[in-house]
Amino acid sequence: MTEAYATIVFLFVLFTLLGSSIWIGLALMGVAYVGMELFTTRPAGDAMITTIWTSSSSWTLTALPLFIWMGEILYRTRLSQDMFRGLAPWMRFLPGGLLHTNIAGCTIFAAVSGSSAATLTTVGKMSIPELRKRGYPEYMIVGTLAGAATLGLMIPPSLTLIVYGVSINESIIKLFMAGIIPGLVLAALFMSYIVGWHFLQPGQRPPPEPSISLREMLAESRFLIPVLCLVFAVIGSMYFGWATATEAAAVGVLGALTLAAFQRSLSASTFFESLMGATRTSAMIALILMGAAFLSLSMGFTGLPRALAAYIDSINLSPIALIAALTIFYIILGMFLDGISSVVLTMAIVEPMIRTAGIDPIWFGIFIVVVVEMAQVTPPIGFNLFVLQGMTRHEIGYISKVALPMVGLMLLMVVLLVAFPGLATWLPDNLR
């Protein structure tokens, strides 16, 4: 009865605070404070101060603002234009043509950004006008871009994986390595959707692109070299053991600054804007993590996570059944909260459940990212939907409808992860 009463109180206070438009981080702290006052004898203020300081002073967390800053620098350079220019000659011969630049561009930029919104904005501002000019259907342009931009959450350096790793105290590098193969598989699923459209809707194909020589294709490809070098510097340094996640983030920032300087797009105003953008985003995520840490402590005192984990163990729910239930749960939760908030809000309860069920926490991190990706393109709070609305002037309902096939492919990715868990665990298990 105590756990049931605590659950009702926690949920009531949480939804009351969220419904009053209080920042999510402050809402989590408010719920935790009420729980500490009602269910424990420990001074709530002292506990809050100690927990917030401990969670915010984690060395692992220093990678977060650095990766965000790297993405902000690249977002303000000519990288997207160069990337489209380098990719287009190689995509034109594939079934579906230049629509594949949405997928390939988002995949490459995701490897240097870590943010779905930054990936969407950077690739979209270049690909949307170019694809429109060439006569591609609007629903394919918008739908494929909405889905492909979510790869920014999966392919390292992923901000969501950093937050997840910090929340459950798992290796960030292992989580990054675990995201590479599933990210590429998901990108291949998105590209297969474009290929299917090409053959099933021949009447909607635009006029074929003019042919160019191999020499011209290679000449245009030189524009991809800077970003590919940066990807290798960031991901390769972690894979080969040359750098930790934080050191790789610092290398990425230096590489992004160097890239911007060579492009002559690094002015004093660009530098200041990127720094302030990274500061705002980092502060927002840090506040959410502080609130989540305090909420985890508060719920720990009530015994709620342990009781729930014991209940799951007592009903002998299979791991697959648990994953199916959590998929539905996170899809519903993602309709009302952004991805990072969904992760930190639920980890205190979900982590004991998955460990009790014998689910690999590294694998579960990739599963979490896939279902959180769906939240980016599902109404009413799908963040990518709002970004695309500002870029295309379409209604949210229209963007949601054209992005629905991509959500279906993400659900298929969940099935593939369950059927072939090695997609997420093979690379980190064999990492030396």
Side-chain angles (χ1 to χ4, degrees), residues 64-320:
L64 188 67
L66 289 172
F67 278 127
I68 294 172
W69 190 19
M70 180 179 70
E72 288 283 340
I73 294 167
L74 296 176
Y75 168 65
R76 288 169 171 79
T77 66
R78 297 196 313 270
L79 181 71
S80 61
Q81 300 174 33
D82 289 351
M83 201 160 52
F84 187 91
R85 192 172 172 181
L87 285 172
W90 302 97
M91 298 292 110
R92 66 178 69 211
F93 300 113
L94 295 176
L98 293 181
L99 280 173
H100 290 288
T101 57
N102 273 348
I103 314 299
C106 287
T107 303
I108 293 174
F109 193 78
V112 289
S113 168
S115 165
S116 175
T119 301
L120 173 59
T121 308
T122 305
V123 177
K125 70 181 181 182
M126 188 60 200
S127 69
I128 290 175
E130 290 291 336
L131 294 174
R132 281 174 172 172
K133 187 168 63 178
R134 287 167 167 80
Y136 285 90
E138 185 74 7
Y139 75 94
M140 287 298 294
I141 298 173
V142 177
T144 55
L145 186 60
T150 62
L151 292 169
L153 300 178
M154 171 78 76
I155 296 176
S158 163
L159 304 185
T160 307
L161 285 177
I162 295 175
V163 170
Y164 173 80
V166 171
S167 299
I168 69 166
N169 197 27
E170 281 289 344
S171 167
I172 303 298
I173 291 183
K174 282 191 173 184
L175 286 167
F176 278 180
M177 294 303 108
I180 294 177
I181 296 177
L184 295 177
V185 171
L186 188 56
L189 290 176
F190 291 156
M191 295 182 83
S192 66
Y193 169 66
I194 296 174
V195 172
W197 164 81
H198 175 84
F199 289 112
L200 294 175
Q201 301 289 345
Q204 297 181 6
R205 301 176 193 169
E209 293 289 321
S211 60
I212 62 174
S213 67
L214 180 61
R215 184 175 181 179
E216 291 175 308
M217 291 171 63
L218 293 173
E220 291 294 295
S221 298
R222 73 184 188 276
F223 293 102
L224 282 175
I225 294 175
V227 65
L228 291 179
C229 288
L230 188 60
V231 170
F232 177 79
V234 174
I235 299 179
S237 61
M238 290 186 288
Y239 179 83
F240 290 108
W242 299 337
T244 64
T246 304
E247 291 164 349
V251 169
V253 170
L254 291 175
L257 289 170
T258 304
L259 205 69
F262 273 111
Q263 287 183 328
R264 297 184 179 179
S265 55
L266 182 64
S267 61
S269 61
T270 302
F271 181 85
F272 181 76
E273 287 170 7
S274 68
L275 194 58
M276 291 307 297
T279 302
R280 282 190 291 268
T281 305
S282 302
M284 179 265 294
I285 296 175
L287 183 62
I288 293 174
L289 285 173
M290 291 175 192
F294 187 32
L295 182 59
S296 298
L297 177 71
S298 178
M299 286 197 293
F301 274 111
T302 66
L304 182 58
R306 291 189 300 274
L308 190 55
Y311 173 72
I312 295 295
D313 187 47
S314 67
I315 62 176
N316 296 317
L317 197 62
S318 70
I320 293 179

Side-chain angles (χ1 to χ4, degrees), residues 15 18 24 329-339 341-342 345 375 378-382:
F15 285 117
L18 289 176
I24 292 175
F329 168 71
Y330 276 108
I331 290 175
I332 295 172
L333 189 65
M335 293 180 180
F336 306 99
L337 290 175
D338 66 276
S341 301
S342 300
L345 180 61
T378 49
I381 313 292

